[in-house]
Amino acid sequence: MKRDEEASAPLGIEDALAQLSFLVHGVVGKIGAEHDLSVIQARLLGILRDRSPGMNELARYLELDKSSITGLVDRAERRGLVRREPSRSDGRAVDVVITPAGRKLVSRLQAEFEKKIAVLVGVLTPAERASLSRLASRIVARD
Amino acid sequence: MKRDEEASAPLGIEDALAQLSFLVHGVVGKIGAEHDLSVIQARLLGILRDRSPGMNELARYLELDKSSITGLVDRAERRGLVRREPSRSDGRAVDVVITPAGRKLVSRLQAEFEKKIAVLVGVLTPAERASLSRLASRIVARD
DNA sequence: TATTGTTATACTCTATAACTATA
DNA sequence: TATAGTTATAGAGTATAACAATA
C-alpha cells in the first residue's frame, strides 16, 4: 500500500505482494479496456474457455451473487461473446457457453497478457522467473 | 486465467502471477468488505496515510479520471474518513487529508492484511518468503 | 489560455429481496 | 420444500463532456 522507498528499504512481503497484485490487476484492466472489456468480463471469458457452467456455478467461480451473474452474462451475450443454452438435464437451468467470437477475443487477451507480463518479468533472469513462478504456484495451490 | 492443473503441470509465469494477483486482490476485497470498504476506498486510505495530495494528484496515483475522484472522496468524506482542505498555495486546489478515524481504520486494515498474507505465504520457508519478496519488489520497482 | 476541480449524464458492477418455474 | 434463475431496486465506481473559478 505504500509507494515510495522502492529502491531504498526492501519491501515487506505484504507490500511487495500488494503492489505486484495491483500491477498485474492493472495490466488485465488495461488490456481489457483496449477491447472494451472490464476485468470481470475478461475473467468470465477466461472461465468459459474450458467450461460451460450454469449461472450458479459461475457465481461460485467468480464469488459473486447469482443475481450479479445475470447482468454480467446479459451484457456479454448482447455483445455476442457468450450464449445461454437451456440445460437438457435440468429444466430450470442454463449452460453458459462461449461463442467463437468470445473465444477469439479471449485468445487475443491471453496473448497480450502474456506479452505484457513477459516485459514485466524481463528484469529477472530466467532462473529467477522460474523461481518466482514456483513460489507463486505454491501459494495459490493451497487455495 | 486457468484454474485446474494446480498440482499437476507447473503453471506458466503468467498464470501463476494472474492467480496470485486475483488471490491477493481478493484478500484486500474481503478485508475491506468486513469494514464496508471497497478495494478502491481502501487504496485511497492507504495512499493518504503518508500523503495529502490534491484531487489531480490522487487521480494519477489511482489511474482514474479526476471526475471519478470527486465521487470517491465525497463518499469517504461523508463517512468521516477524509476531509478536503483548501490549498493555501493554489486557490483552485484542495488537499485531501485523512482524518484520525480514517487513519485508525487503515491501520486496522493493514494489520489484518498482513495477518492474512502471513497465512498465505506460510506454505513457504522463511528463505523462500525473502526470495519472493525480493523478486516481487524488483518487478514493481521498474514501474 | 491552461489548470483544478465539480457537475451532469450514462453505463457497468454489485448486493438484497421478492419473484417464477422446475425439481 | 428446495433449487435455478430473473427482476426490481439501490448504490458504488467509472468515463466523457461541459462547466466554473483561479493561475
Side-chain angles (χ1 to χ4, degrees), chain A residues 4 11 32 51-52 65 68 89-90 99 101 113-114 129:
Chain A
D4 294 334
L11 260 40
R51 266 166 283 250
S52 294
D65 190 88
S68 303
S89 52
D90 187 335
T99 63
F113 180 70
E114 284 177 17
R129 289 198 286 272

PDB file of all heavy atoms in Angstrom, chain A residues 4 11 32 51-52 65 68 89-90 99 101 113-114 129:
ATOM      1  N   ASP A   4       6.576   4.723  -2.047  1.00  0.00           N
ATOM      2  CA  ASP A   4       7.919   5.244  -2.185  1.00  0.00           C
ATOM      3  C   ASP A   4       8.914   4.119  -1.943  1.00  0.00           C
ATOM      4  O   ASP A   4       8.670   2.986  -2.284  1.00  0.00           O
ATOM      5  CB  ASP A   4       8.133   6.381  -1.176  1.00  0.00           C
ATOM      6  CG  ASP A   4       7.233   7.559  -1.507  1.00  0.00           C
ATOM      7  OD1 ASP A   4       6.866   7.708  -2.690  1.00  0.00           O
ATOM      8  OD2 ASP A   4       6.882   8.308  -0.607  1.00  0.00           O
ATOM      9  N   LEU A  11      10.982  -3.939   0.510  1.00  0.00           N
ATOM     10  CA  LEU A  11       9.575  -4.001   0.871  1.00  0.00           C
ATOM     11  C   LEU A  11       9.309  -5.225   1.740  1.00  0.00           C
ATOM     12  O   LEU A  11       9.900  -6.269   1.534  1.00  0.00           O
ATOM     13  CB  LEU A  11       8.743  -4.142  -0.411  1.00  0.00           C
ATOM     14  CG  LEU A  11       8.084  -2.880  -0.959  1.00  0.00           C
ATOM     15  CD1 LEU A  11       9.008  -1.690  -0.823  1.00  0.00           C
ATOM     16  CD2 LEU A  11       7.693  -3.095  -2.388  1.00  0.00           C
ATOM     17  N   GLY A  32      -7.969  -5.297 -21.115  1.00  0.00           N
ATOM     18  CA  GLY A  32      -9.416  -5.388 -21.281  1.00  0.00           C
ATOM     19  C   GLY A  32      -9.976  -4.110 -21.871  1.00  0.00           C
ATOM     20  O   GLY A  32     -10.743  -4.134 -22.839  1.00  0.00           O
ATOM     21  N   ARG A  51     -14.955 -24.477 -19.960  1.00  0.00           N
ATOM     22  CA  ARG A  51     -16.105 -24.892 -19.166  1.00  0.00           C
ATOM     23  C   ARG A  51     -17.370 -24.281 -19.725  1.00  0.00           C
ATOM     24  O   ARG A  51     -17.306 -23.248 -20.370  1.00  0.00           O
ATOM     25  CB  ARG A  51     -15.962 -24.351 -17.738  1.00  0.00           C
ATOM     26  CG  ARG A  51     -15.340 -25.266 -16.725  1.00  0.00           C
ATOM     27  CD  ARG A  51     -14.970 -24.454 -15.504  1.00  0.00           C
ATOM     28  NE  ARG A  51     -13.765 -23.707 -15.779  1.00  0.00           N
ATOM     29  CZ  ARG A  51     -12.581 -23.980 -15.204  1.00  0.00           C
ATOM     30  NH1 ARG A  51     -12.477 -24.923 -14.317  1.00  0.00           N
ATOM     31  NH2 ARG A  51     -11.513 -23.283 -15.526  1.00  0.00           N
ATOM     32  N   SER A  52     -18.529 -24.913 -19.473  1.00  0.00           N
ATOM     33  CA  SER A  52     -19.816 -24.303 -19.803  1.00  0.00           C
ATOM     34  C   SER A  52     -20.732 -24.423 -18.597  1.00  0.00           C
ATOM     35  O   SER A  52     -21.692 -25.187 -18.623  1.00  0.00           O
ATOM     36  CB  SER A  52     -20.431 -24.988 -21.027  1.00  0.00           C
ATOM     37  OG  SER A  52     -19.637 -24.743 -22.170  1.00  0.00           O
ATOM     38  N   ASP A  65     -22.806 -12.819  -6.228  1.00  0.00           N
ATOM     39  CA  ASP A  65     -24.173 -13.279  -6.092  1.00  0.00           C
ATOM     40  C   ASP A  65     -24.719 -13.672  -7.461  1.00  0.00           C
ATOM     41  O   ASP A  65     -24.347 -13.090  -8.477  1.00  0.00           O
ATOM     42  CB  ASP A  65     -25.036 -12.172  -5.485  1.00  0.00           C
ATOM     43  CG  ASP A  65     -26.400 -12.694  -5.096  1.00  0.00           C
ATOM     44  OD1 ASP A  65     -26.533 -13.178  -3.957  1.00  0.00           O
ATOM     45  OD2 ASP A  65     -27.319 -12.646  -5.941  1.00  0.00           O
ATOM     46  N   SER A  68     -25.994 -11.033  -9.699  1.00  0.00           N
ATOM     47  CA  SER A  68     -24.985 -10.236 -10.411  1.00  0.00           C
ATOM     48  C   SER A  68     -24.581 -10.919 -11.707  1.00  0.00           C
ATOM     49  O   SER A  68     -24.245 -10.263 -12.697  1.00  0.00           O
ATOM     50  CB  SER A  68     -23.741 -10.042  -9.554  1.00  0.00           C
ATOM     51  OG  SER A  68     -24.086  -9.445  -8.325  1.00  0.00           O
ATOM     52  N   SER A  89     -30.492 -31.520 -18.804  1.00  0.00           N
ATOM     53  CA  SER A  89     -30.727 -32.363 -17.637  1.00  0.00           C
ATOM     54  C   SER A  89     -31.592 -31.680 -16.573  1.00  0.00           C
ATOM     55  O   SER A  89     -32.141 -32.331 -15.706  1.00  0.00           O
ATOM     56  CB  SER A  89     -29.389 -32.789 -17.025  1.00  0.00           C
ATOM     57  OG  SER A  89     -28.582 -31.644 -16.806  1.00  0.00           O
ATOM     58  N   ASP A  90     -31.757 -30.357 -16.692  1.00  0.00           N
ATOM     59  CA  ASP A  90     -32.494 -29.619 -15.661  1.00  0.00           C
ATOM     60  C   ASP A  90     -33.260 -28.475 -16.304  1.00  0.00           C
ATOM     61  O   ASP A  90     -32.666 -27.533 -16.802  1.00  0.00           O
ATOM     62  CB  ASP A  90     -31.514 -29.093 -14.604  1.00  0.00           C
ATOM     63  CG  ASP A  90     -32.242 -28.461 -13.419  1.00  0.00           C
ATOM     64  OD1 ASP A  90     -33.392 -27.996 -13.589  1.00  0.00           O
ATOM     65  OD2 ASP A  90     -31.664 -28.444 -12.323  1.00  0.00           O
ATOM     66  N   THR A  99     -18.949 -18.185 -27.301  1.00  0.00           N
ATOM     67  CA  THR A  99     -19.143 -18.250 -28.748  1.00  0.00           C
ATOM     68  C   THR A  99     -17.780 -18.218 -29.437  1.00  0.00           C
ATOM     69  O   THR A  99     -16.783 -17.900 -28.814  1.00  0.00           O
ATOM     70  CB  THR A  99     -19.944 -17.036 -29.239  1.00  0.00           C
ATOM     71  OG1 THR A  99     -19.176 -15.863 -28.972  1.00  0.00           O
ATOM     72  CG2 THR A  99     -21.293 -16.942 -28.561  1.00  0.00           C
ATOM     73  N   ALA A 101     -16.726 -15.971 -31.403  1.00  0.00           N
ATOM     74  CA  ALA A 101     -16.221 -14.604 -31.254  1.00  0.00           C
ATOM     75  C   ALA A 101     -15.607 -14.409 -29.872  1.00  0.00           C
ATOM     76  O   ALA A 101     -14.553 -13.777 -29.726  1.00  0.00           O
ATOM     77  CB  ALA A 101     -17.351 -13.602 -31.477  1.00  0.00           C
ATOM     78  N   PHE A 113      -1.737 -10.425 -22.705  1.00  0.00           N
ATOM     79  CA  PHE A 113      -1.376 -10.513 -21.296  1.00  0.00           C
ATOM     80  C   PHE A 113      -0.001 -11.149 -21.144  1.00  0.00           C
ATOM     81  O   PHE A 113       0.860 -10.639 -20.430  1.00  0.00           O
ATOM     82  CB  PHE A 113      -2.435 -11.312 -20.531  1.00  0.00           C
ATOM     83  CG  PHE A 113      -2.144 -11.463 -19.064  1.00  0.00           C
ATOM     84  CD1 PHE A 113      -2.227 -10.368 -18.207  1.00  0.00           C
ATOM     85  CD2 PHE A 113      -1.791 -12.692 -18.537  1.00  0.00           C
ATOM     86  CE1 PHE A 113      -1.962 -10.504 -16.854  1.00  0.00           C
ATOM     87  CE2 PHE A 113      -1.516 -12.836 -17.183  1.00  0.00           C
ATOM     88  CZ  PHE A 113      -1.601 -11.734 -16.345  1.00  0.00           C
ATOM     89  N   GLU A 114       0.198 -12.256 -21.836  1.00  0.00           N
ATOM     90  CA  GLU A 114       1.490 -12.937 -21.748  1.00  0.00           C
ATOM     91  C   GLU A 114       2.631 -12.030 -22.183  1.00  0.00           C
ATOM     92  O   GLU A 114       3.691 -12.020 -21.575  1.00  0.00           O
ATOM     93  CB  GLU A 114       1.474 -14.219 -22.595  1.00  0.00           C
ATOM     94  CG  GLU A 114       0.688 -15.327 -21.913  1.00  0.00           C
ATOM     95  CD  GLU A 114       0.587 -16.598 -22.740  1.00  0.00           C
ATOM     96  OE1 GLU A 114       1.371 -16.748 -23.694  1.00  0.00           O
ATOM     97  OE2 GLU A 114      -0.283 -17.431 -22.423  1.00  0.00           O
ATOM     98  N   ARG A 129      12.880 -16.080 -12.802  1.00  0.00           N
ATOM     99  CA  ARG A 129      11.495 -16.193 -13.251  1.00  0.00           C
ATOM    100  C   ARG A 129      10.936 -17.559 -12.885  1.00  0.00           C
ATOM    101  O   ARG A 129       9.791 -17.675 -12.435  1.00  0.00           O
ATOM    102  CB  ARG A 129      11.414 -15.987 -14.765  1.00  0.00           C
ATOM    103  CG  ARG A 129      11.667 -14.555 -15.184  1.00  0.00           C
ATOM    104  CD  ARG A 129      11.154 -14.296 -16.593  1.00  0.00           C
ATOM    105  NE  ARG A 129      11.993 -14.885 -17.625  1.00  0.00           N
ATOM    106  CZ  ARG A 129      13.054 -14.273 -18.170  1.00  0.00           C
ATOM    107  NH1 ARG A 129      13.388 -13.060 -17.774  1.00  0.00           N
ATOM    108  NH2 ARG A 129      13.755 -14.860 -19.100  1.00  0.00           N
TER     109      ARG A 129
END
